[in-house]
Amino acid sequence: MEYEKANLSITGMHCAACAARIEKVIGRQPGVVDIAVNLATERALVVFESDQTELDDIVSRVEKLGYGASVYDESLPSTEGGDRAAVEMFLFSALLTVPFVLQMLHMFNLISIPPVLENPFVQFGLATQIQFIAGWRFYVGAFKSLRARSADMDVLVVLGTSSAYFYSVWMMFGGGDQLYFETSSILITLVLFGKILEAKAKSRTTDALQALAQLHVKNAHLIQGEHETDVPIQHVVVGDLLMVRPGEKVPVDGRVVDGESSVDESMLTGEILPVHKRVGDLVYGGTLNQDGALRVLAQRIGADSALGQIIRLVEEAQGSKAPVQRLADTICGVFVPVVILLSFATFVFWYFVLKFPMSISLENTCAVLLAACPCPLGLATPAALVVGTGRAARQGVFFKGGEQLEQLHKAKVVLMDKTGTITHGRPMVTDVLLIKHPAIRTQGQLLYLASSAELSSGHPLARVIVEHASQYTRPVAPTSFMSLAGRGVSATVAGQHVLVGNLRLLQEHGVNIHGLPSCTEEWEAAGKTVAFIAVERRIAGLIAVADTIKPSSRRAIRQLQALGMRVVMVTGDNVKTANVVARQVGVRDVLAELTPEDKVRAIRHFQRQGYAVAMVGDGINDAPALAAANVGLAVGTGADVALEAADVALIGADLEGVVQAVLLSRATMRCIIQSFSWALLYNGITIPFAAIGLLSPLLAGAAMAFSSVTVVLNALRLKRMRMGRKLQHSQSSL
């Protein structure tokens, strides 16, 4: 059984009921495993079994429901043409509505108007054009909705405006003077205006995804022998040799085979400072080459590149749904039918029970139909998710979906791996101490002899010492060399016998180790590995090596604790080293000497106590724990398998990305709850007020038109939220 994913572009959706109807019908189609329709982005993420159904069948089924559907392609033209048509139709409707507005002002003795504007037949002519030209889209939408045995916002608009229009026609030809042509006309104009504002606001929610897509390079300089040719990026294949000049974007992921330069990778890592690249280093598509020419061997292109994977993550996250959306979907599914019943009950109550005139009964009925709006309910979650995940993406935090974002805001316990997550994950020279020696007068001499002796060794600590010393001196190959397992090396460098290793090595060669500096014990107590250097059987110096703590780790952990989260360090390292690191970063809870299975058991332990657990890791051994946690966060320097198992990918090694992810998830969920509450409050107030005659159809229509805009604007506040101030606040509270 093979699953496929497809991202569809859906056109013709007008409200949450449209999205719910597509999900309901397509979700029942054989072979469709899951479908999530996002009203804010007008996209649908479909998961289906390719051996049971084809994508063309799904697209065809969506079209039969009355909507446009196609595979999403970011290279296709934008919808500006459709937006322009909508604006033109609004302007047409607004122009014809002006006489009705003047008439209303005249009714309140605010202005005088020509008698012709009060002529019923003139009003009929203007209102008819508005009703059936500007408002035709609502009739088409309502017909498609009813044909699919459903009801949406278009049905409510058609029922409300048609009631006012046809009642006015009936009264006009029947000799009555209660005409409501201005009501139906102004309502259609207001709804069209509201739709334009909503579309503009929704388009701003996808700014982050559009910005990422614009990072793609359209052309590349292909090197073939001695010649260089400009080719479209689609023609580049793995193994091609490309030239990247200063000031140009790197076209694909690849490895530098010639040249040296600084590359701005801020679009991937969020780091402001450029990264120096030389032969053998990896470069990533979309990053900016700054000051040198590079020849790059293409390794990953298109969707397989880091940028392509990031765009896919953002698309899937924005197209997914948070569990909180299920309540909104349930309400939207029954909303329109219930409103229609309420409007019918309103008419019966006013006309048959209270015996009010037809005009008043019909006016209150129209008000109920026009006040009801399911759009805020349907937009609350997707609009906030799109903006929240887009904001997170710009900061190097990539949620795989809305469910993960919602889960993270619930997390109260954070399990954090030590090696590679809190620490750099690789040993580094932390201290060098020169001990008085007749032949060694400078630290540079000490590093020269030690690194030269270690140059032929394959031990990891030897490579660390050589790498560190190479910054200050140039090691040379020893004239004699012997590796002594478990102890160190013995070598001859520049005619001098050099020992580099542990105390046992020195003792075996008769080196006097009495009177060693007290810092030796301090270093070892801090979890550092100490290499002793002896020259001509006399101690000459010490080099301490350790896996150092990332500069941001202590600050990030303190911020998480200030946010009310319990941080637990989990590691396979020994208890002594784990406790040393824990003390340095301020972690009180430590679980050491754990296997990957033990980390999973630790997560299960906290989950059984009722906690939602977040796991932060980077290595292959962290993958089971990342998958077992309620939400797993993988730092971007880690293994690919860890990133795949995680729910949130953090591009870059900075642990403050975890803090950013938590703050963004909490802010997004707070925004969803605010918008959801507003939507319920809006409908809870306007519908009863309309039913009891305290809200005119005109005011009801205006409120309905702007209600969904309010929800989207609330979501857009996430783009301007100042995360730095929140971080400073959490730090100052310690």
Side-chain angles (χ1 to χ4, degrees):
M1 187 178 297
E2 187 175 347
Y3 293 124
E4 288 190 18
K5 283 184 179 179
N7 207 335
L8 300 181
S9 177
I10 307 293
T11 58
M13 291 191 298
H14 305 304
C15 68
C18 297
R21 181 165 66 257
I22 295 173
E23 287 183 343
K24 182 178 180 181
V25 175
I26 302 302
R28 291 176 177 175
Q29 186 171 330
V32 175
V33 179
D34 188 32
I35 177 171
V37 179
N38 192 315
L39 179 62
T41 60
E42 297 184 330
R43 306 257 185 86
L45 182 63
V46 186
V47 181
F48 60 98
E49 298 175 16
S50 57
D51 57 343
Q52 289 196 31
T53 188
E54 295 184 359
L55 185 58
D56 289 343
D57 295 333
I58 297 173
V59 170
S60 176
R61 184 61 175 155
V62 174
E63 290 174 342
K64 286 181 180 178
L65 291 174
Y67 304 98
S70 61
V71 177
Y72 174 69
D73 186 350
E74 65 187 32
S75 65
L76 292 176
S78 67
T79 58
E80 289 181 0
D83 293 342
R84 189 180 301 112
V87 171
E88 290 174 354
M89 189 56 70
F90 161 71
L91 293 176
F92 168 78
S93 181
L95 182 62
L96 296 181
T97 304
V98 169
F100 292 112
V101 175
L102 296 176
Q103 180 197 356
M104 292 179 65
L105 295 175
H106 174 68
M107 289 171 58
F108 291 101
N109 296 319
L110 296 176
I111 62 172
S112 298
I113 61 174
V116 67
L117 294 182
E118 296 184 276
N119 187 302
F121 289 95
V122 172
Q123 295 181 14
F124 168 72
L126 295 172
T128 300
Q129 294 182 74
I130 296 172
Q131 189 74 29
F132 297 109
I133 297 179
W136 184 248
R137 55 169 289 183
F138 301 116
Y139 284 95
V140 173
F143 172 74
K144 291 179 178 179
S145 176
L146 294 173
R147 186 179 62 181
R149 298 179 182 178
S150 183
D152 59 11
M153 249 337 272
D154 287 338
V155 175
L156 295 181
V157 173
V158 166
L159 286 176
T161 59
S162 296
S163 298
Y165 172 80
F166 286 110
Y167 176 74
S168 300
V169 172
W170 179 61
M171 291 295 292
M172 182 185 70
F173 287 104
D177 59 355
Q178 295 292 329
L179 304 182
Y180 291 93
F181 286 126
E182 77 282 353
T183 301
S184 61
S185 299
I186 293 175
L187 285 175
I188 287 176
T189 304
L190 284 174
V191 173
L192 288 174
F193 183 58
K195 291 294 182 183
I196 291 173
L197 290 181
E198 181 182 317
K200 292 289 185 184
K202 285 196 297 184
S203 68
R204 291 173 58 195
T205 65
T206 58
D207 285 350
L209 191 57
Q210 292 170 0
L212 285 171
Q214 289 172 0
L215 292 173
H216 278 303
V217 178
K218 291 182 173 58
N219 296 293
H221 308 306
L222 178 64
I223 300 174
Q224 295 175 308
E226 298 297 323
H227 302 285
E228 183 180 310
T229 308
D230 286 353
V231 298
I233 194 65
Q234 295 87 348
H235 294 174
V236 176
V237 298
V238 174
D240 279 348
L241 186 63
L242 307 175
M243 170 63 73
V244 186
R245 298 191 181 93
E248 295 180 341
K249 289 181 181 178
V250 179
V252 299
D253 291 4
R255 191 173 298 275
V256 177
V257 297
D258 184 42
E260 195 169 339
S261 181
S262 295
V263 177
D264 179 359
E265 296 185 342
S266 58
M267 50 76 65
L268 279 178
T269 64
E271 296 293 333
I272 299 175
L273 295 177
V275 180
H276 189 71
K277 300 289 182 179
R278 55 173 66 91
V279 174
D281 289 342
L282 291 172
V283 290
Y284 302 97
T287 57
L288 182 64
N289 182 30
Q290 293 192 327
D291 51 21
L294 297 174
R295 290 193 175 197
V296 176
L297 186 67
Q299 293 184 332
R300 294 191 300 181
I301 59 179
D304 295 328
S305 67
L307 178 59
Q309 293 176 17
I310 286 171
I311 291 175
R312 176 180 56 81
L313 276 175
V314 176
E315 284 179 342
E316 292 185 1
Q318 293 187 343
S320 66
K321 288 194 174 187
V324 70
Q325 178 69 9
R326 294 169 190 157
L327 177 59
D329 289 344
T330 302
I331 295 174
C332 289
V334 299
F335 184 87
V336 175
V338 168
V339 169
I340 293 174
L341 289 175
L342 284 174
S343 64
F344 179 74
T346 300
F347 178 80
V348 170
F349 178 74
W350 281 91
Y351 188 71
F352 292 103
V353 178
L354 298 182
K355 307 296 184 181
F356 271 77
M358 173 72 75
S359 59
I360 295 178
S361 303
L362 192 59
E363 184 175 324
N364 294 335
T365 301
C366 291
V368 171
L369 288 168
L370 295 168
C373 185
C375 289
L377 289 169
L379 280 172
T381 299
L385 279 181
V386 169
V387 179
T389 53
R391 168 71 186 272
R394 289 197 301 275
Q395 296 183 252
V397 179
F398 297 92
F399 290 91
K400 288 191 175 179
E403 183 175 354
Q404 290 77 17
L405 186 143
E406 183 173 341
Q407 285 291 335
L408 184 57
H409 108 281
K410 297 177 181 178
K412 296 299 181 184
V413 176
V414 181
L415 269 62
M416 197 171 287
D417 177 54
K418 178 181 76 70
T419 306
T421 302
I422 295 177
T423 66
H424 284 100
R426 61 183 186 277
M428 301 172 65
V429 172
T430 60
D431 305 275
V432 178
L433 178 65
L434 180 65
I435 298 176
K436 188 175 181 181
H437 190 284
I440 310 296
R441 289 183 171 80
T442 66
Q443 195 175 92
Q445 286 180 290
L446 178 70
L447 289 172
Y448 168 76
L449 293 173
S451 60
S452 297
E454 294 278 28
L455 195 61
S456 300
S457 174
H459 194 280
L461 292 184
R463 291 197 294 270
V464 172
I465 292 174
V466 172
E467 182 180 350
H468 177 78
S470 297
Q471 301 176 54
Y472 308 99
T473 185
R474 179 173 293 181
V476 297
T479 53
S480 67
F481 173 81
M482 181 180 294
S483 178
L484 304 168
R487 288 160 288 173
V489 300
S490 173
T492 300
V493 180
Q496 300 181 85
H497 181 244
V498 180
L499 298 169
V500 183
N502 55 25
L503 287 177
R504 180 182 169 191
L505 175 69
L506 270 58
Q507 289 172 332
E508 288 178 352
H509 286 77
V511 177
N512 183 5
I513 60 173
H514 295 294
L516 287 174
S518 59
C519 66
T520 303
E521 295 180 358
E522 295 175 4
W523 289 352
E524 291 179 339
K528 300 178 181 180
T529 299
V530 181
F532 298 84
I533 300 98
V535 179
E536 297 297 342
R537 290 179 171 77
R538 181 170 177 174
I539 189 107
L542 311 173
I543 297 178
V545 176
D547 180 11
T548 57
I549 295 170
K550 297 175 184 176
S552 65
S553 293
R554 178 175 175 80
R555 182 170 60 252
I557 288 170
R558 287 165 65 90
Q559 290 167 348
L560 289 172
Q561 291 168 339
L563 291 171
M565 306 183 81
R566 178 181 177 184
V567 181
V568 181
M569 189 175 77
V570 292
T571 179
D573 211 340
N574 63 76
V575 175
K576 178 181 177 182
T577 302
N579 285 329
V580 169
V581 173
R583 284 196 298 271
Q584 292 176 345
V585 297
V587 173
R588 291 181 288 272
D589 299 315
V590 181
L591 300 175
E593 299 180 4
L594 301 184
T595 64
E597 293 77 13
D598 292 332
K599 292 180 181 179
V600 173
R601 279 192 282 271
I603 290 171
R604 302 293 187 215
H605 169 73
F606 286 110
Q607 288 173 334
R608 283 193 296 271
Q609 293 181 344
Y611 294 108
V613 179
M615 171 70 195
V616 186
D618 77 311
I620 293 175
N621 64 326
D622 294 325
L626 290 169
N630 295 85
V631 57
L633 301 95
V635 296
T637 55
D640 288 343
V641 67
L643 293 172
E644 287 296 326
D647 302 303
V648 184
L650 307 175
I651 304 302
D654 194 338
L655 274 188
E656 285 192 345
V658 178
V659 184
Q660 296 284 346
V662 172
L663 288 174
L664 282 165
S665 71
R666 292 185 178 184
T668 303
M669 292 308 301
R670 186 164 56 248
C671 178
I672 289 173
I673 292 170
Q674 288 171 350
S675 295
F676 200 69
S677 300
W678 152 252
L680 291 174
L681 181 64
Y682 163 81
N683 285 290
I685 292 176
T686 57
I687 293 176
F689 269 59
I692 62 177
L694 296 180
L695 192 66
S696 70
L698 195 61
L699 290 177
M704 182 270 286
F706 289 101
S707 57
S708 56
V709 177
T710 304
V711 168
V712 177
L713 291 177
N714 184 45
L716 289 172
R717 290 191 305 110
L718 291 170
K719 298 177 71 172
R720 300 187 298 274
M721 184 179 65
R722 295 183 60 186
M723 303 296 295
R725 184 170 58 185
K726 290 178 177 288
L727 292 176
Q728 292 169 7
H729 173 74
S730 66
Q731 193 172 356
S732 65
S733 63
L734 295 172

